[in-house]
Amino acid sequence: MLEVKFYDSVDDSLLKFAVIISQSNGKWVFCKHKERDTYEVPGGHREDGENILETAKRELQEETGAVKFDIKPICVYSVTGKTRVNNTGEETFGLLCFAEITEFAKELHSEMEKVVLMDKLPENWTYPLIQLKLIEKYLQMKIFVDDTL
């Protein structure tokens, strides 16, 4: 069983991931990995010495091909339980961001097969127990995010 929690902040050293809920022209932006038949929100691991917001920007660019975007932190989240990227099940922390993408590169150079713009949320998620909760949190916070973009 996975548990997702939200925090206003935690010590920066605990932040290991960045996840970026994204939209472009009013549509949701999702990625489809080359090795999976599911859709996911852009995101990934923080590299050594990297600022967590830089992680978010880098992952957004790598996974969606975004070249012009506005990105804002929303909150800190944590996931407790075993996942594909956490085999210990210990609580891991990440930064949840929102990005409005205004321009994409012509082609992707990553592990993603394609980027899809959708009017509605997909039904086949890579991490359904995590990603739906992150999007729910974004929708709750949306009024505050919109005011800052």
Side-chain angles (χ1 to χ4, degrees), residues 52-105:
I52 193 65
L53 193 56
E54 292 305 313
T55 303
K57 292 175 184 178
R58 176 181 53 75
E59 289 289 348
L60 183 68
Q61 291 170 321
E62 287 175 4
E63 296 193 354
T64 68
V67 291
K68 288 189 182 168
F69 55 88
D70 284 316
I71 189 167
K72 297 279 182 208
I74 296 174
C75 66
V76 171
Y77 72 95
S78 75
V79 176
T80 305
K82 290 189 177 188
T83 64
R84 194 178 61 77
V85 293
N86 178 10
N87 57 12
T88 68
E90 291 178 13
E91 186 174 28
T92 56
F93 295 87
L95 181 68
L96 179 63
C97 297
F98 175 77
E100 180 65 41
I101 302 170
T102 51
E103 187 181 328
F104 293 90

Side-chain angles (χ1 to χ4, degrees), residues 129-143:
L129 298 171
I130 300 171
Q131 294 175 318
L132 284 169
K133 289 190 167 113
L134 298 181
I135 287 181
E136 245 173 53
K137 182 66 171 180
Y138 159 68
L139 290 171
Q140 291 170 359
M141 303 285 291
K142 185 175 184 318
I143 191 159

Side-chain angles (χ1 to χ4, degrees), residues 97-135:
C97 297
F98 175 77
E100 180 65 41
I101 302 170
T102 51
E103 187 181 328
F104 293 90
K106 302 273 186 273
E107 53 186 66
L108 284 177
H109 300 283
S110 75
E111 69 273 15
M112 294 302 163
E113 178 182 311
K114 63 182 176 179
V115 173
V116 192
L117 277 61
M118 300 181 176
D119 291 316
K120 291 190 252 173
L121 299 177
E123 292 180 14
N124 51 338
W125 296 88
T126 304
Y127 306 102
L129 298 171
I130 300 171
Q131 294 175 318
L132 284 169
K133 289 190 167 113
L134 298 181
I135 287 181

